[in-house]
Amino acid sequence: MLYLVGLGLGDAKDITVKGLEAVRRCRRVYLEAYTSVLTVGKEALEEFYGKELILADREMVEQEADSLLKEADVCDVAFLVVGDPFGATTHSDLVLRAVKLGIPYKVIHNASIMNAVGCCGLQLYNFGETVSIVFWTDTWKPESFFDKIEKNRQNGMHTLCLLDIKVKEQSLENLMKGRKIYEPPRYMSVNQAAEQLLAIIQNRRLQGLKPEITENTICVGLARVGALDEKIASGTLQQMSTVELGDPLHSLIVTGTMHPLELEMLKLFSVDSSSFDNNACQRTT
Amino acid sequence: MLYLVGLGLGDAKDITVKGLEAVRRCRRVYLEAYTSVLTVGKEALEEFYGKELILADREMVEQEADSLLKEADVCDVAFLVVGDPFGATTHSDLVLRAVKLGIPYKVIHNASIMNAVGCCGLQLYNFGETVSIVFWTDTWKPESFFDKIEKNRQNGMHTLCLLDIKVKEQSLENLMKGRKIYEPPRYMSVNQAAEQLLAIIQNRRLQGLKPEITENTICVGLARVGALDEKIASGTLQQMSTVELGDPLHSLIVTGTMHPLELEMLKLFSVDSSSFDNNACQRTT
């Protein structure tokens, strides 16, 4: 049996009782280590689970899936994923391979950022399409996520922005020379995401456009959701470019139309409640 | 401290280790019993947690919140919610009351239907706005959810349809006479949801309209997601009106544009793979 086990969002104890029992039963336990991270490392998980974990990077899951699934028809193998197991497409791929090899699989769900963002008080059913904000480079500055956020807001919907993670990336030079030397991991902060959005707003204005989202649009910055040191800050997009949220992972929400109860919840986390009131009231139903 | 603890979706063991520790520490433990249900009852939870649970219905949470929060500033009180604690607006309200009373609170997240639907292979970031399909009555047949599904599909997005739950409802007669006699709980099935959608399609055609969603639109019916006897069935909307999924809770997804990997995953659950192929290929990117 292949167990796909969600680990939740905070630390070792965010696994479910069912998940923990499955992990302890398995002969081999892989930890997926490229789409998200917990606030604790591999060692803390190993100690709590009482099991040795095999780190699975993208290369391993995508190119050596058969070794990962080896003998999973006759013994139990677990694949641990931060959040819920179906947060990333590569995991669907693993399930399809297992099915083709005749290996049964079971999913043990957990919280993921996609539902845990509800903790800021914005209702999940008021969210439109989720977007990913990628790190810009000197030569590549895509803006397509901005159009989706605008569309959601025009429809009154909030947008959850997942922020880029770069793990085990090679520099262009190392890639070209075939050297397996990796850059340090990078996790986009709410500040960086806000700066990119502000830059897009400026670009649009230079083109004579009038974007729906402005410096004053109410946003929510979230850090380490579900962990003990979780931080949530609400305020204008401008304020998000300087708010201090600390260590990764970060996520950003751009609000749409707010229900009074949503607004009241957001105020619990406001950077500066006075400016908040002025800007939010225009969009409240 | 007020703990808002998500119970996940299946049975007693879907609580997280952190959640279980909190529950066992609390002086009073309430079980929210009106927005969702597990596949096991209160007694099974009490046995596993080793704690007596107090059933909290909507009336209690909305009208007697102060008794629920009594002394939560000096002792620990837990409020257990099926899925994740922020699935329903009433729970935001409880948090706001706690904050006003100076009671600190902590959220212990878990899987909810909003993220666990990923198990069918459709990617969460390809979902648009979530809708609720309500039970029609003889005199009240709203269609607004259909417009939202159409809009999502026009944008290429899938729609998660949450199906109506009627718990502790009074008949009009009992309500008028002030008798606290309640009707048996009702949970909308995928069949009933599909029939209502098919009826709307007919209505629209009678009005000379040409709805984007037809009898042949690929849908996914899900029952008891996350439980051991979970069932997933993919097929046309017409097929959803007769598919057998068993006990509640059910959910329905109306697909938008499908990525080939999504399509391949959905085929694992197809009611009838041949008709599936014919209908799905038109919408695959």
Side-chain angles (χ1 to χ4, degrees):
Chain A
M1 176 77 79
L2 170 68
Y3 288 95
L4 293 117
V5 183
L7 299 186
L9 294 167
D11 57 39
K13 289 187 174 176
D14 285 310
I15 195 169
T16 65
V17 174
K18 197 178 276 173
L20 184 59
E21 287 180 356
V23 167
R24 292 195 170 150
R25 210 165 37 230
C26 283
R27 188 172 308 171
R28 295 196 312 279
V29 184
Y30 296 90
L31 174 63
E32 188 266 274
Y34 58 94
T35 61
S36 192
V37 288
L38 289 177
T39 55
V40 294
K42 174 170 168 276
E43 294 69 30
L45 298 181
E46 286 178 325
E47 197 186 323
F48 183 69
Y49 303 156
K51 275 277 180 182
E52 203 176 300
L53 304 183
I54 307 161
L55 271 188
D57 59 24
R58 188 184 293 273
E59 203 177 297
M60 181 174 188
V61 179
E62 292 181 356
Q63 290 161 34
E64 300 163 44
D66 291 347
S67 81
L68 195 151
L69 293 170
K70 202 179 153 199
E71 293 171 8
D73 50 341
V74 291
C75 71
D76 290 334
V77 172
F79 184 70
L80 310 186
V81 182
V82 172
D84 187 70
F86 282 97
T89 21
T90 39
H91 309 149
S92 291
D93 202 55
L94 189 65
V95 166
L96 287 167
R97 276 166 189 266
V99 171
K100 272 174 203 155
L101 294 168
I103 297 166
Y105 74 94
K106 207 177 274 299
V107 180
I108 300 179
H109 291 288
N110 211 320
S112 65
I113 190 68
M114 301 291 281
N115 72 337
V117 287
C119 64
C120 72
L122 297 173
Q123 293 296 315
L124 294 180
Y125 51 75
N126 292 336
F127 279 76
E129 181 180 356
T130 299
V131 307
S132 293
I133 301 187
V134 294
F135 275 119
W136 278 355
T137 66
D138 290 341
T139 53
W140 190 63
K141 297 186 182 348
E143 298 192 354
S144 54
F145 50 83
F146 189 84
D147 300 315
K148 290 182 180 175
I149 301 171
E150 288 263 295
K151 195 169 188 177
N152 281 339
R153 191 168 159 95
Q154 280 153 12
N155 290 329
M157 310 304 285
H158 315 309
T159 308
L160 170 61
C161 307
L162 303 174
L163 307 187
D164 206 359
I165 293 178
K166 293 281 185 202
V167 179
K168 253 193 150 182
E169 298 277 322
Q170 288 166 284
S171 68
L172 193 59
E173 194 190 339
N174 286 327
L175 190 69
M176 285 172 68
K177 294 193 177 161
R179 292 190 296 219
K180 294 209 166 177
I181 300 169
Y182 302 102
E183 302 298 300
R186 290 193 302 151
Y187 305 97
M188 188 184 284
S189 68
V190 161
N191 299 158
Q192 291 170 311
E195 275 162 21
Q196 289 190 186
L197 291 174
L198 291 168
I200 295 172
I201 293 168
Q202 288 308 322
N203 286 346
R204 301 278 161 123
R205 287 186 184 141
L206 288 173
Q207 293 160 36
L209 299 169
K210 211 181 154 209
E212 172 90 6
I213 297 155
T214 71
E215 295 80 357
N216 293 324
T217 299
I218 294 294
C219 296
V220 188
L222 305 103
R224 302 173 304 287
V225 170
L228 293 173
D229 64 343
E230 165 184 291
K231 268 200 183 168
I232 305 176
S234 60
T236 63
L237 178 58
Q238 190 69 55
Q239 286 170 332
M240 291 299 119
S241 68
T242 53
V243 68
E244 293 277 350
L245 293 170
D247 289 337
L249 296 176
H250 289 192
S251 305
L252 178 71
I253 299 168
V254 180
T255 61
T257 306
M258 278 187 278
H259 182 275
L261 191 63
E262 292 184 310
L263 189 58
E264 208 179 337
M265 277 292 289
L266 276 201
K267 280 187 196 166
L268 297 181
F269 309 110
S270 64
V271 177
D272 164 10
S273 61
S274 66
S275 69
F276 193 86
D277 275 357
N278 294 333
N279 293 301
C281 57
Q282 299 152 18
R283 299 287 307 183
T284 310
T285 44
Chain B
M1 176 77 77
L2 169 69
Y3 288 94
L4 294 117
V5 183
L7 299 185
L9 295 166
D11 57 40
K13 288 188 175 177
D14 285 310
I15 194 169
T16 65
V17 174
K18 197 177 277 173
L20 183 60
E21 287 180 356
V23 168
R24 292 193 170 152
R25 208 165 39 229
C26 282
R27 187 172 308 171
R28 295 196 313 277
V29 184
Y30 296 90
L31 174 63
E32 188 267 273
Y34 56 95
T35 61
S36 191
V37 288
L38 289 177
T39 56
V40 294
K42 174 170 168 275
E43 293 70 28
L45 298 181
E46 286 178 325
E47 197 186 325
F48 184 69
Y49 302 156
K51 276 277 178 180
E52 202 176 302
L53 303 184
I54 307 160
L55 271 188
D57 59 25
R58 188 183 293 272
E59 202 176 297
M60 181 175 189
V61 178
E62 293 181 357
Q63 289 161 34
E64 300 162 44
D66 290 346
S67 82
L68 196 149
L69 293 170
K70 202 178 153 199
E71 293 172 11
D73 50 339
V74 292
C75 71
D76 290 333
V77 173
F79 184 69
L80 311 186
V81 182
V82 172
D84 188 71
F86 282 96
T89 20
T90 39
H91 309 149
S92 290
D93 201 55
L94 189 64
V95 166
L96 286 168
R97 277 167 187 267
V99 171
K100 271 173 204 155
L101 294 168
I103 297 166
Y105 74 95
K106 209 178 274 297
V107 180
I108 300 179
H109 291 288
N110 211 319
S112 66
I113 190 66
M114 302 291 282
N115 71 335
V117 288
C119 64
C120 73
L122 296 174
Q123 292 296 313
L124 294 180
Y125 51 76
N126 292 336
F127 279 76
E129 183 180 355
T130 299
V131 307
S132 293
I133 301 187
V134 294
F135 276 119
W136 279 356
T137 67
D138 291 341
T139 52
W140 190 62
K141 297 188 185 340
E143 298 191 355
S144 54
F145 51 82
F146 189 83
D147 299 314
K148 290 182 182 177
I149 301 171
E150 288 263 294
K151 194 168 187 178
N152 281 338
R153 190 168 159 95
Q154 280 153 10
N155 290 329
M157 310 306 285
H158 315 309
T159 307
L160 170 62
C161 307
L162 303 175
L163 308 187
D164 206 359
I165 293 178
K166 293 281 186 203
V167 179
K168 253 193 148 179
E169 298 276 324
Q170 288 167 285
S171 68
L172 193 60
E173 195 190 339
N174 286 326
L175 190 70
M176 284 170 67
K177 294 192 177 162
R179 291 190 296 219
K180 292 208 168 179
I181 299 170
Y182 302 101
E183 302 298 301
R186 291 192 302 151
Y187 305 96
M188 187 184 285
S189 69
V190 162
N191 299 157
Q192 291 169 311
E195 275 162 21
Q196 289 190 187
L197 290 174
L198 289 168
I200 296 172
I201 292 169
Q202 288 308 323
N203 286 347
R204 301 279 161 121
R205 286 186 185 140
L206 289 173
Q207 292 162 33
L209 299 170
K210 210 179 156 209
E212 171 90 5
I213 297 156
T214 71
E215 294 80 356
N216 293 323
T217 299
I218 294 294
C219 295
V220 188
L222 306 102
R224 302 172 305 287
V225 169
L228 293 173
D229 63 343
E230 164 183 292
K231 269 200 183 169
I232 304 175
S234 59
T236 63
L237 177 59
Q238 190 69 56
Q239 286 169 333
M240 291 299 117
S241 69
T242 53
V243 69
E244 292 278 352
L245 293 171
D247 289 338
L249 296 176
H250 289 192
S251 304
L252 178 71
I253 299 168
V254 180
T255 62
T257 307
M258 278 187 278
H259 182 275
L261 191 63
E262 292 183 311
L263 189 57
E264 207 179 335
M265 277 291 290
L266 276 202
K267 281 186 194 167
L268 297 180
F269 309 109
S270 63
V271 178
D272 164 10
S273 60
S274 66
S275 70
F276 193 85
D277 276 356
N278 294 335
N279 293 302
C281 58
Q282 299 153 20
R283 297 288 307 184
T284 310
T285 44

